[in-house]
């Protein structure tokens, strides 16, 4: 596998963003068998009991804080449009089995509640997959349960889950002006924001992948070359809201 290949090449360590946090014990066992140092990015390893493997250095976007900003921006735009909160609902598309996803959505909901949005009108719905088709199915199942909602705020852990929610509202007859979706990641939102006519996808929080990548590689380099052990937990908080008005300029700043 990839770790065998790394070891054979003479590598001293590696940075990994695991596709499944539960692979953590197996990854670490293999890495230790070769004496390789490991830095994880974005999703924290989980042990056999499902508990975070806090002994493994982790560099990640500040999930709760970024989620909180998502909720703040949603409420700000809702207020700007003069929506009546009594006829507005929050569609929170969740994937609570992933720590990052859970923390982002929980942070967003916290911001909305603190801003004064009615807690009873915040509806959580789980998605089987964190992509557009999975979120579309989840959103459709939610929309039919609340036919009296006239406007929707859409929360999700990334751009594609929010886009799935937006597609569902379109399919059920909601005008773009009655939907506000704000994603997280930015890059997956480009085609949507570039459309000639606005959709319910208002914008996305663009993180700083340059900072995330630099910090993870810097940590591993110093660990390997100078035996300076990395911080066990480092969060990157830098994000900017990109919309139809500024997305090209902001992506260019990041070299994207």
């Amino acid at each position: 596998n990839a770790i065998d290949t790394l070891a054979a090449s003479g590598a001293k360590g590696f940075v990994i963003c695991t596709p499944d946090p539960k692979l953590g014990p197996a990854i670490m066992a293999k890495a230790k068998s070769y004496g390789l140092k490991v830095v994880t990015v974005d999703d924290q390893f989980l042990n056999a009991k499902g508990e975070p493997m806090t002994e493994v250095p982790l560099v990640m976007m500040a999930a709760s804080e970024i989620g909180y900003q998502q909720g703040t921006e949603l409420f700000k735009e809702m207020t700007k449009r003069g929506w009546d909160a009594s006829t507005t609902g929050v569609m929170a598309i969740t994937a609570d089995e992933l720590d990052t996803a859970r923390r982002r959505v929980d942070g967003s909901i916290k911001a909305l509640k603190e801003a004064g949005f009615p807690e009873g009108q915040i509806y959580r719905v789980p998605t089987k997959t964190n992509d557009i088709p999975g979120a579309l199915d989840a959103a459709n199942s939610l929309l039919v349960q609340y036919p009296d909602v006239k406007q929707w705020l859409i929360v999700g852990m990334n751009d594609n889950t929010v886009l799935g929610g937006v597609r569902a509202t379109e399919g059920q007859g909601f005008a773009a002006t009655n939907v506000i979706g704000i994603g997280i990641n930015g890059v997956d939102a480009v085609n949507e924001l570039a459309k000639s006519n606005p959709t319910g996808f208002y914008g996305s929080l663009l993180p700083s992948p340059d900072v995330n990548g630099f910090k993870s590689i810097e940590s591993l380099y110093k660990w390997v070359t100078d035996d300076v052990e990395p911080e066990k937990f480092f969060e990157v908080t830098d994000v900017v809201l990109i919309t139809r008005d500024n997305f090209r300029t902001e992506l260019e700043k990041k070299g994207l």
Side-chain angles (χ1 to χ4, degrees), residues 63 95-107 124 157:
D96 287 346
E97 67 278 7
L98 291 176
D99 182 62
T100 298
R102 177 184 55 77
R103 291 173 62 191
R104 288 181 183 179
V105 172
D106 285 354
R124 300 174 69 105
M157 66 89 67

Side-chain angles (χ1 to χ4, degrees), residues 73-227:
E73 295 292 349
L74 281 166
F75 191 84
K76 185 188 300 182
E77 182 61 19
M78 181 191 93
T79 303
K80 180 180 176 182
R81 296 187 188 188
W83 286 5
D84 184 347
S86 67
T87 59
T88 302
V90 172
M91 177 193 298
I93 301 173
T94 66
D96 287 346
E97 67 278 7
L98 291 176
D99 182 62
T100 298
R102 177 184 55 77
R103 291 173 62 191
R104 288 181 183 179
V105 172
D106 285 354
S108 187
I109 290 173
K110 179 182 179 183
L112 286 163
K113 290 193 294 186
E114 289 184 358
F117 192 89
E119 184 174 359
Q121 291 161 222
I122 298 174
Y123 312 113
R124 300 174 69 105
V125 60
T127 176
K128 293 181 179 178
T129 54
N130 290 316
D131 55 17
I132 294 176
L136 173 66
D137 289 342
N140 275 326
S141 69
L142 179 69
L143 287 170
V144 297
Q145 298 178 52
Y146 301 100
D148 293 333
V149 173
K150 304 302 181 186
Q151 301 93 210
W152 284 101
L153 303 177
I154 303 178
V155 170
M157 66 89 67
N158 59 17
D159 289 336
N160 286 328
T161 51
V162 173
L163 283 167
V166 170
R167 295 288 91 86
T169 60
E170 292 169 346
Q172 297 202 29
F174 286 87
T177 52
N178 291 329
V179 177
I180 305 171
I182 294 179
I184 298 173
N185 282 348
V187 178
D188 293 326
V190 172
N191 290 338
E192 189 77 6
L193 295 175
K195 288 182 176 179
S196 55
N197 294 316
T199 72
F201 190 91
Y202 174 69
S204 177
L205 294 177
L206 176 67
S208 298
D210 49 344
V211 177
N212 221 23
F214 184 91
K215 181 63 180 181
S216 59
I217 295 300
E218 179 188 49
S219 297
L220 181 64
Y221 178 80
K222 289 182 177 179
W223 197 8
V224 169
T225 59
D226 302 325
D227 200 30

